[in-house]
Amino acid sequence: MKFDNIKKLHQKKYRTEFGHFLVEGEHLVLELQKAALHNPLLERSELYVTNAYEQWQSPFKTHLISDRQMAQIADTKTPQGIVALVPMPAAGAPVAAPVAGERAIYLHEIQDPGNLGTILRTLAWFGNFRCLLSPGSVDPYNPKVVRSSMGAIFHAPMELDVALDSLRTRFARIACLDMRGEPVQTASFQAFDCYLFGNEARGVPREQLASLKAQPFTIPGCGAIESLNLAATVNMCAYELSR
Amino acid sequence: MKFDNIKKLHQKKYRTEFGHFLVEGEHLVLELQKAALHNPLLERSELYVTNAYEQWQSPFKTHLISDRQMAQIADTKTPQGIVALVPMPAAGAPVAAPVAGERAIYLHEIQDPGNLGTILRTLAWFGNFRCLLSPGSVDPYNPKVVRSSMGAIFHAPMELDVALDSLRTRFARIACLDMRGEPVQTASFQAFDCYLFGNEARGVPREQLASLKAQPFTIPGCGAIESLNLAATVNMCAYELSR
């Protein structure tokens, strides 16, 4: 890819146009290299490094660039000096078939990049989860999501732009997390194929929920404060389901 | 307080010098007003509002300021127009006595403001937790922590600058979260007074742990990635302890 285009990949529209995203820093590049061993798409990643990383061991095609060029493509203020250009799955590309016992976590219009990154990290930690993102969610290839996922973006199966309505025909049993409902530690919480979580500010979309016949569950609290953080809620549910 | 000094409260050294911190936005100010009903220290908070909030109902002394002045004391780029100046507990001030069944969560050198805010929010959600922060931890009165706590900063009992060594004489049974150990869902995980969590990058401080005789526990994962996010780990443990 032309160097001038790589700089543009910090913006979603250019990631979509060029079909690539950026991954920055030693830790994430190591995770990428590990994941590429089992993923032919990631094998086609390329590296951009400064002098500091000239000796870096990598199976990827590697380009040596200047510190000035690195500052242009890096997202951090003081870049380490290593950035990977990673191909994104094409929109509509076939997704991995669900494995036995896999559960879907559906996030409706999640907005905070740090929340999504942390959730992907937790889902990859436990395994056996697939993350479905609604239209209007934060882009998982956003540099802040990639960074806070700490490499989990290469492991947790994801599907983008999944319409809420499509869940009805796809999943027989849908649960949703809400302010009211059965406690998540109830045994019946385990018995669903898909778990739906609402947006950070607006919660679950009430109008559309009814037609999905989603069963509400809640994480019981002491009442001192109004709500839990969205990532905290998803993480605790994933923990309960993996317990 | 002089207006010129209020501007300085974004920096920790001035928060310490002047004994106050700032709380911004409608939601947080509402939480503060609720918490002040049961907390004489918070009752002494003062409000700074622009025209947009002239009609705001508050028990606090209220100052009307210009949009230009608001931009100087607000931490966000597009301030709502309402900021509270809140007195901090003095260093060494007596802390609330532990209530029956209360557990201590000890965070060793936690660095990320978003992590600390989310943890405080989860601890306040469940109740019956006290948050102990080691020296060198992020300041809980940092605007980013206050914001991501969503008001929990007014509810969860906190103690600052608690030395790791002091835990030995204070708590009979200490658990720590580590990469190895018994799974946290084991019944014995419930039987501790204090739960210790290491720093985001370095984990638990090995040298000092031995003398504390802390018992290691872990959140079992599938092995695909190296670690969980610190806030995710604390949140899942708090969930398990409140289950």
Side-chain angles (χ1 to χ4, degrees), chain B residues 49 68 70 89 169 217 230:
Chain B
V49 300
R68 203 183 51 82
M70 182 55 72
T169 48
F217 284 87
L230 172 61

Side-chain angles (χ1 to χ4, degrees), chain A residues 27 31 34 118 121-122 124-127 149-152 155 179 184-185 219-230 232 235-236 239-240 242-243, chain B residues 27 31 34 118 121-122 124-127 149-152 155 179 184-185 219-230 232 235-236 239-240 242-243:
Chain A
H27 177 81
E31 289 292 327
K34 270 195 280 177
T118 304
R121 192 170 166 191
T122 297
W125 177 261
F126 290 122
S149 86
M150 292 288 274
H155 297 284
M179 295 307 288
V184 293
Q185 53 267 42
I219 297 177
C222 72
I225 57 164
E226 267 176 38
S227 65
L228 278 165
N229 167 272
L230 172 61
N235 290 340
M236 291 189 257
Y239 169 79
E240 179 62 40
S242 309
R243 203 170 168 274
Chain B
H27 178 82
E31 290 291 328
K34 272 195 278 177
T118 304
R121 193 169 165 191
T122 297
W125 177 261
F126 290 121
S149 87
M150 291 289 274
H155 296 284
M179 296 307 290
V184 294
Q185 53 265 44
I219 298 178
C222 71
I225 58 165
E226 265 178 35
S227 64
L228 278 163
N229 167 271
L230 172 61
N235 290 341
M236 291 189 254
Y239 169 78
E240 179 63 39
S242 307
R243 203 170 169 275

Side-chain angles (χ1 to χ4, degrees), chain A residues 31-86:
Chain A
E31 289 292 327
L32 168 66
Q33 293 183 178
K34 270 195 280 177
L37 296 174
H38 316 285
N39 185 327
L41 181 70
L42 299 179
E43 258 179 25
R44 293 176 5 230
S45 302
E46 300 188 12
L47 276 188
Y48 290 81
V49 301
T50 60
N51 279 328
Y53 283 89
E54 219 178 340
Q55 305 300 321
W56 181 262
Q57 299 291 319
S58 170
F60 304 146
K61 184 173 172 187
T62 301
H63 309 264
L64 188 64
I65 61 174
S66 68
D67 289 341
R68 202 183 53 82
Q69 287 175 306
M70 181 54 73
Q72 293 178 313
I73 64 171
D75 187 49
T76 52
K77 280 180 198 162
T78 49
Q80 289 186 355
I82 180 164
V83 166
L85 175 69
V86 187

